[in-house]
Structure formats: C-alpha cells, structure tokens
Amino acid sequence: LLETQLKHKDIEVILNTCDVNIFGYKNELMQVFINLINNSRDEFEKNEQKNRLIFIDVIEDENKVFVKIKDNAGGIKKEVISKIFDSYFTTKDESKGTGIGLYMSREIIEKHMHGHIKVSNEEFIYDNENHKGALFEIELNKKKFD
C-alpha cells in the first residue's frame, strides 16, 4: 500500500520477513503497520537525511510472532518517548497529526489482539554506517486467544 509513496520520498524498506500465521484482526493490524511506517516517513521529512531506511523484521517461535519496525530517522526525544502512546499526544503540527495514531495502535495490539507493543531508540550499524532511530517491537500470538 505504501510502496510507491515511500519510493517517491526516497525511503528504502529492508525486509527480513517470513510467512507466518497470526490469529487476530488483519485490517486492524495493517492499520498499525501503516501508522508506524507513516510516522517514520513523517520524521524523515523533518530532516535532510539522504540515506532513509526502514527495516521490517518478522521472527516467529512456536507460539509468538515478533515484528520489529525500525528506522534511521534519528529517534524519539527522551522527554517524550514515554508519552507517545498517550491519546492526543503528538509532536507534529496540528495540521499534520491528531495524536491518536500510536494510541490506537497500542489499543489494537494490546486490547484487540492480546499482544504487546513497545518503543525504544536504537543505535545500529548498517552498510558500515552508524544510524540511530526509533524501534517499535510488537509481540503477537500465533494461536487463538481466549
């Protein structure tokens, strides 16, 4: 859904995925992924960074699926990172954000799909270059929940 838009913004998506079965709500989960990727895109637009990367990793074990979405857009400021899942909290201009995207993402993952979502900043090396960005980690059940 976002491929053309990301290419137009010179954002490269690096996938490390496998086919997995997850029990849950497909459309809601897609909305979470779209929201996280759009937030990365918006952060890239704030800076003049040339090498724009989004990494999507999917790892599974017997009972769980772990999805990690990471960018190299510089990360989230320390003073706001603990608030980003709060309703109506935004770091964007009023015309660009309402502050409900990450709140709704957490609601979908934790309440509707009985999973977990967390965020941190991460420094990493890719292609022999140092990078820093936000890392969203999602843990989902592979089996039906009660």
Side-chain angles (χ1 to χ4, degrees), residues 114-129:
H114 303 274
H116 301 285
I117 184 170
K118 64 182 180 178
V119 65
S120 61
N121 287 320
E122 182 173 286
E123 293 184 23
F124 59 98
I125 297 173
Y126 179 76
D127 273 353
N128 295 318
E129 292 182 22

Side-chain angles (χ1 to χ4, degrees), residues 16 18 20 57-61 64-68:
N16 179 25
C18 57
V20 295
D57 297 320
V58 177
I59 304 155
E60 70 175 321
D61 67 18
K64 305 268 185 192
V65 172
F66 304 91
V67 179
K68 296 180 179 186

Side-chain angles (χ1 to χ4, degrees), residues 3 13 25 31 45 50 52 59 64 68 76 79 83 86 92-93 104 108 118 127 137 141 146:
E3 185 176 1
V13 177
Y25 304 98
Q31 188 59 49
E45 288 181 2
K50 293 184 193 262
R52 299 172 171 192
I59 304 155
K64 305 268 185 192
K68 296 180 179 186
I76 302 166
E79 57 270 14
K83 301 175 189 176
D86 293 353
K92 300 175 186 176
D93 292 335
M104 288 306 300
I108 289 167
K118 64 182 180 178
D127 273 353
E137 298 177 87
N141 296 303
D146 296 324

Side-chain angles (χ1 to χ4, degrees), residues 32 35 100-110 117:
V32 171
N35 185 52
I100 61 169
L102 289 175
Y103 170 76
M104 288 306 300
S105 294
R106 184 182 65 188
E107 292 291 301
I108 289 167
I109 296 298
E110 295 186 356
I117 184 170

Side-chain angles (χ1 to χ4, degrees), residues 7-58:
K7 282 184 181 179
H8 179 70
K9 302 283 185 182
D10 293 322
I11 299 170
E12 180 182 359
V13 177
I14 296 140
L15 299 172
N16 179 25
T17 63
C18 57
D19 290 333
V20 295
N21 291 315
I22 301 169
F23 186 82
Y25 304 98
K26 179 181 178 181
N27 291 335
E28 289 186 6
L29 185 57
M30 287 286 274
Q31 188 59 49
V32 171
F33 295 151
I34 288 169
N35 185 52
L36 295 176
I37 292 167
N38 280 341
N39 282 350
S40 288
R41 181 205 61 212
D42 293 346
E43 285 303 308
F44 284 126
E45 288 181 2
K46 289 180 183 178
N47 61 46
E48 299 296 320
Q49 185 172 339
K50 293 184 193 262
N51 192 12
R52 299 172 171 192
L53 305 169
I54 297 174
F55 300 84
I56 302 173
D57 297 320
V58 177

Side-chain angles (χ1 to χ4, degrees), residues 123-144:
E123 293 184 23
F124 59 98
I125 297 173
Y126 179 76
D127 273 353
N128 295 318
E129 292 182 22
N130 293 326
H131 299 277
K132 182 178 180 182
L135 167 64
F136 287 86
E137 298 177 87
I138 300 169
E139 177 184 320
L140 299 166
N141 296 303
K142 286 175 64 175
K143 299 180 180 177
K144 187 175 181 178

